[in-house]
Amino acid sequence: MSMTWTSAFLLLQVNCYFKFGSCLKVLVWPTEYSHWMNMKTILDELLQRVHEVTVLTSSASILVDTNKTSGSKFEVYPTSLSKDVYEDTFMSLISKMVYDIPKDSFWSYFSQMQEILWEFSDYALMLCKEAVLNKKYMIKLQESRFNVILADAICPCGELLAELLQIPFVYSLRFSPGYTFEKYSGGLLIPPSYVPIVLSELKLSDQMAFMERVKNMIYVLYFDFWFQTCNMRTWDRFYSETLGRPTTLYETLGKAEMWLIQTYWNLEFPRPLLPNFDFVGRLHCKPAKPLQM
């Protein structure tokens, strides 16, 4: 077992309670496609360590296959969204990002990028509402007495479930646009003088000339004060209404115990790190099989 795997699962705090002869119960809030593939690798390792894994997914899920005997349990809540519509929406969004968005205009590129992310956010909010407001499933989750939630930060809701169930939660994440989630929720420092902002379209290194730093700073301000990954007002209002107190999405995200970043630390730009951020790259890579002569 590599040091990366070992540290990741120590930080997840899911060691077995040998004294009582049982392991922890993990509730999972997944996202689709590559996000699910990365998370499934973590779940497979948890199952090998004899932990109990329950994946909470919607009836419209695309890749989360409840029929496969992986060892995980599945809680499938009903949704008004059909699988075909959900998949078509994803394909449409991916096609727009790859082929349709013009990359020669700063304002046009980012305004259309935000439209795409907000469309995804609307579907994510719909699924979150249908899970959280389903009293039958929420009572069942409460009675199951889970110990921790593993969630993908790019698709909010896992943190709200953790608040409602009063249990800790851990994030799996590659990055958020402009590092906004990591900065404003995780408290991670991203010094613009030597850390190029992600998705800025600038090809910069950590050794920038003065004008390159100026350009990088413009992008930082842009992401901080204009570009939003989600429709924050809608999420803030829903979280406040559900929890019965004023709160925000950023505040709730910030209660994560750990942020597992899906990349190598040495592929990132040098910057100050926090003890609750751990790089867990290559989790989805499997050892090569020996060549057969």
Side-chain angles (χ1 to χ4, degrees):
M1 178 62 62
S2 68
M3 287 300 296
T4 303
W5 272 112
T6 304
S7 62
F9 288 105
L10 283 175
L11 294 170
L12 272 172
Q13 299 180 359
V14 289
N15 289 320
C16 292
Y17 292 130
F18 293 110
K19 180 178 180 180
F20 301 99
S22 63
C23 293
L24 297 190
K25 302 176 71 173
V26 183
L27 180 64
V28 180
W29 180 262
T31 307
E32 298 294 338
Y33 294 107
S34 60
H35 295 261
W36 167 245
M37 295 175 186
N38 279 327
M39 184 172 284
K40 189 176 182 302
T41 307
I42 299 176
L43 304 186
D44 291 341
E45 183 67 22
L46 289 173
L47 290 170
Q48 287 189 17
R49 292 170 177 247
V50 205
H51 297 292
E52 184 177 324
V53 175
T54 301
V55 180
L56 181 61
T57 186
S58 73
S59 57
S61 179
I62 302 168
L63 286 190
V64 181
D65 190 349
T66 60
N67 296 320
K68 289 186 177 180
T69 56
S70 61
S72 298
K73 297 180 180 179
F74 295 92
E75 286 292 340
V76 183
Y77 63 90
T79 175
S80 56
L81 185 65
S82 72
K83 181 176 293 188
D84 289 340
V85 171
Y86 195 34
E87 186 171 7
D88 289 344
T89 300
F90 262 109
M91 291 296 100
S92 175
L93 296 180
I94 293 172
S95 177
K96 288 179 182 178
M97 292 179 68
V98 175
Y99 301 110
D100 298 338
I101 296 180
K103 298 187 177 182
D104 56 342
S105 169
F106 173 90
W107 297 110
S108 179
Y109 175 79
F110 280 102
S111 62
Q112 292 188 54
M113 177 67 77
Q114 179 162 289
E115 287 180 10
I116 288 174
L117 292 175
W118 277 30
E119 187 175 349
F120 169 76
S121 170
D122 289 341
Y123 281 106
L125 182 59
M126 179 193 301
L127 295 175
C128 183
K129 286 182 176 180
E130 291 179 325
V132 170
L133 301 181
N134 190 319
K135 294 183 179 180
K136 172 187 173 182
Y137 276 90
M138 286 305 299
I139 292 174
K140 188 174 183 179
L141 295 178
Q142 290 171 347
E143 292 176 346
S144 297
R145 299 186 180 278
F146 291 100
N147 302 106
V148 64
I149 288 180
L150 175 63
D152 193 318
I154 207 65
C155 186
C157 198
E159 61 287 334
L160 180 59
L161 287 168
E163 285 282 283
L164 294 172
L165 299 177
Q166 298 183 342
I167 56 177
F169 63 99
V170 175
Y171 278 138
S172 171
L173 177 68
R174 176 58 187 93
F175 60 76
S176 63
Y179 297 122
T180 49
F181 286 177
E182 298 93 313
K183 288 196 301 183
Y184 294 113
S185 296
L188 192 64
L189 297 175
I190 312 289
S193 59
Y194 56 91
V195 180
I197 202 70
V198 69
L199 293 185
S200 67
E201 296 298 296
L202 295 175
K203 298 180 180 179
L204 301 176
S205 70
D206 57 336
Q207 298 180 2
M208 292 179 271
F210 175 74
M211 288 308 300
E212 290 176 328
R213 292 180 178 180
V214 170
K215 292 179 181 178
N216 192 51
M217 190 65 201
I218 291 173
Y219 274 95
V220 170
L221 295 174
Y222 181 81
F223 277 107
D224 286 355
F225 296 105
W226 191 85
F227 189 93
Q228 291 184 354
T229 305
C230 303
N231 188 339
M232 294 298 176
R233 290 185 179 180
T234 306
W235 283 93
D236 293 348
R237 182 168 59 252
F238 173 60
Y239 274 37
S240 298
E241 292 172 353
T242 304
L243 296 175
R245 54 178 172 78
T247 188
T248 65
L249 175 61
Y250 278 158
E251 179 185 4
T252 315
L253 289 167
K255 297 181 180 181
E257 299 291 331
M258 285 297 308
W259 297 69
L260 304 179
I261 308 301
Q262 300 283 351
T263 185
Y264 293 95
W265 69 269
N266 53 344
L267 294 180
E268 293 290 294
F269 293 103
R271 63 179 184 267
L273 296 175
L274 297 173
N276 62 330
F277 278 78
D278 193 39
F279 291 97
V280 291
R282 80 174 181 272
L283 291 187
H284 60 287
C285 300
K286 295 182 179 180
K289 296 181 181 179
L291 294 174
Q292 296 181 353
M293 302 300 293

